[in-house]
Amino acid sequence: MGISIARLDFAKGGLIPPHTHPRGSEIIYVLEGSLYAGFVTADNQLFAKVINKGDVMIFPRGLIHFQLNVGDGPAQAVVSLNSQHAGFQLIANSMFGSNIKDEVLQKTFFLDQKTVDRLKTIFS
């Protein structure tokens, strides 16, 4: 069919961490609550705002995006992607859980070896 849809249930303070869908754009519609949602463009410009019940936001294909429940209680949303195989790649897991050489991670994120080791333990 070329489309995917899902309901998202957020606990208070719940987060869908920065991730990307390499093969699909996403639209989110807030059913209940308030979400701080946004995406980062290829030239590192952040587009983010709080979206509330009845609001819609679009995340273009392949761009890093996130959603954080900033309301006083649970939140719900519905998302749809224009692909049945949009893919889902968590940024932190991809960087620290993929056996990239420690030196690359240290130089990219300005981290010492102890911090790299701790992050690799968390995300692998």
Side-chain angles (χ1 to χ4, degrees):
M1 300 293 288
I3 190 169
S4 301
I5 191 167
R7 188 180 89 182
L8 306 177
D9 294 295
F10 294 85
K12 183 178 177 181
L15 171 71
I16 297 180
H19 65 280
T20 184
H21 305 285
R23 295 177 300 280
S25 295
E26 177 179 338
I27 186 169
I28 186 169
Y29 174 76
V30 181
L31 297 170
E32 288 294 331
S34 298
L35 301 174
Y36 174 64
F39 63 90
V40 180
T41 66
D43 60 352
N44 293 325
Q45 185 174 3
L46 173 66
F47 288 90
K49 65 184 267 185
V50 174
I51 54 176
N52 300 295
K53 181 178 179 177
D55 289 342
V56 171
M57 184 177 238
I58 295 174
F59 307 109
R61 175 186 9 224
L63 295 186
I64 297 169
H65 59 283
F66 58 88
Q67 298 95 25
L68 172 67
N69 181 359
V70 294
D72 294 330
Q76 279 188 345
V78 172
V79 295
S80 183
L81 295 104
N82 66 345
S83 171
Q84 62 196 30
H85 300 290
F88 181 79
Q89 184 175 25
L90 289 166
I91 304 307
N93 297 59
S94 295
M95 296 306 301
F96 294 99
S98 63
N99 294 320
I100 294 175
K101 285 186 167 286
D102 290 357
E103 184 178 1
V104 173
L105 298 171
Q106 290 170 341
K107 290 181 176 182
T108 299
F109 297 107
F110 304 100
L111 301 173
D112 60 37
Q113 184 63 51
K114 183 178 178 181
T115 303
V116 169
D117 290 342
R118 187 170 58 85
L119 290 169
K120 282 181 139 185
T121 299
I122 292 168
F123 293 107
S124 57

